[in-house]
Amino acid sequence: MSQHSRKKFTSGKKVTLGVSALAASGLAVGLLVTPSATASGTGAAEALKQSKAAFADASAARADAPKARAANAAAATVVSNVTVNGGNSAAVGTTNTQTITVKWKVSGGPTLYGSEASLWRGTTIEDGPEQFITSEQFNANIDPCVQSGDSTFDCKATYKIDPGYQLTNADAGAWKLQVWAVTDSASEDTENAKTWYLKRWSRMSNNASPEPVAKGKTITITGKLERANWDTHKYAGYTQQTVRLQERSLTGSYATTSSHSTGTGSLAGVEKQTRTATADRCYRYKFEGTTTTPPVTAAGDCVDVR
């Protein structure tokens, strides 16, 4: 008969902290650290320590069952079907908390002694990650895995990301997913089971004027590309980024007619182009995105030419 064993953590004390207590303590068990803690690495180190302690406990539980381990010595523990946020990058603004869901499958022996996935950013875990997030389930000592076959388990965990006090601009870009699992067969610890991207939310304004306009006169199309600033918790113009001016007739489809670079300084993120009014037409700007900022397309603005 298959079993799913959850050993109580003993190697390190698990702590669940509310937001206010978290801010007061400077720790981040199961959550992103505050900007001040990120600089010293204290919160990330504590979260990593808790994850390592849980892995040690699960491995110890397996060692206490030598007969079961020996029976599955020829097998291996395999982590597969790993997805982060449904296979998509995550875009976070300046105020709203974002929930990230991670799913994975564990196969191996009929007993699962424990499994956990953690989001982290840095060069290597052993060098000390800049950020290290254990799941809400781990933080509450709730098992994230359910048995789906004789020797397979489906796992699901969630993570809360609050940009109001947990992120700095340095956190935008590539993150990694660590997954460990312990079954009768073996202990498996994968430092980078998946790479995913945490991005600063983007938005773009767009206005074509004047409206209406006399035929032959000049139409000015002005747009502004902005993205979330996690240091100031405000939106700011995204400078020197390629945006595409797209046009269409009232009944046609948008097509790119020219590409331009957004402004700097007092015109940070701003783009302005002109067209001669010949017929009713719609205009919009489009940004393709970067590794730190998601793509965005402005709402079209149609001009009545008379």
Side-chain angles (χ1 to χ4, degrees):
M1 180 68 68
S2 299
Q3 301 179 49
H4 190 175
S5 173
R6 175 76 170 186
K7 180 177 174 64
K8 188 69 175 178
F9 300 124
T10 57
S11 301
K13 182 180 179 182
K14 282 186 56 60
V15 182
T16 302
L17 296 177
V19 172
S20 59
L22 179 67
S25 68
L27 298 179
V29 181
L31 292 173
L32 285 164
V33 297
T34 62
S36 59
T38 301
S40 65
T42 303
E46 180 64 21
L48 175 57
K49 178 181 177 182
Q50 295 292 334
S51 180
K52 285 185 174 181
F55 179 65
D57 285 338
S59 298
R62 174 178 176 269
D64 288 340
K67 291 182 179 180
R69 188 178 72 246
N72 293 277
T77 295
V78 177
V79 174
S80 61
N81 294 7
V82 179
T83 62
V84 181
N85 202 39
N88 303 308
S89 60
V92 180
T94 58
T95 57
N96 293 335
T97 298
Q98 179 75 270
T99 299
I100 306 300
T101 300
V102 173
K103 297 180 181 180
W104 69 101
K105 181 183 288 289
V106 177
S107 59
T111 302
L112 176 64
Y113 295 98
S115 186
E116 165 64 0
S118 300
L119 304 173
W120 66 282
R121 183 179 68 80
T123 304
T124 67
I125 287 180
E126 292 308 316
D127 287 342
E130 298 295 326
Q131 292 272 28
F132 190 89
I133 320 168
T134 48
S135 69
E136 293 184 289
Q137 289 72 24
F138 180 87
N139 199 45
N141 201 21
I142 297 172
D143 203 323
C145 303
V146 295
Q147 193 161 4
S148 56
D150 289 343
S151 299
T152 60
F153 304 85
D154 291 333
C155 308
K156 178 180 178 180
T158 54
Y159 311 75
K160 296 287 188 183
I161 299 179
D162 184 347
Y165 70 95
Q166 296 170 330
L167 297 176
T168 67
N169 288 341
D171 292 318
W175 285 59
K176 300 169 186 176
L177 179 71
Q178 179 207 32
V179 182
W180 60 258
V182 180
T183 72
D184 288 319
S185 299
S187 299
E188 176 67 24
D189 186 0
T190 303
E191 186 172 283
N192 187 12
K194 184 71 68 173
T195 297
W196 69 289
Y197 288 84
L198 183 64
K199 300 186 177 184
R200 296 160 60 179
W201 187 268
S202 58
R203 64 188 189 186
M204 178 173 282
S205 62
N206 180 60
N207 181 64
S209 64
E211 300 177 59
V213 63
K215 189 172 184 179
K217 296 294 184 180
T218 298
I219 299 171
T220 301
I221 307 101
T222 304
K224 185 175 184 179
L225 174 63
E226 298 179 294
R227 64 174 177 169
N229 186 314
W230 294 335
D231 294 337
T232 65
H233 311 303
K234 298 178 180 179
Y235 280 86
Y238 196 7
T239 64
Q240 296 181 309
Q241 297 302 307
T242 299
V243 293
R244 308 185 191 283
L245 178 59
Q246 297 187 322
E247 305 177 28
R248 69 169 174 84
S249 64
L250 295 183
T251 58
S253 300
Y254 278 105
T256 298
T257 57
S258 58
S259 297
H260 312 276
S261 182
T262 57
T264 61
S266 61
L267 296 177
V270 173
E271 177 53 36
K272 183 181 293 186
Q273 295 295 315
T274 60
R275 293 290 188 268
T276 300
T278 57
D280 294 350
R281 201 156 182 80
C282 304
Y283 305 88
R284 71 180 187 186
Y285 285 104
K286 182 175 183 177
F287 170 61
E288 300 291 350
T290 65
T291 58
T292 62
T293 311
V296 61
T297 301
D301 192 12
C302 299
V303 177
D304 178 17
V305 177
R306 299 179 178 178

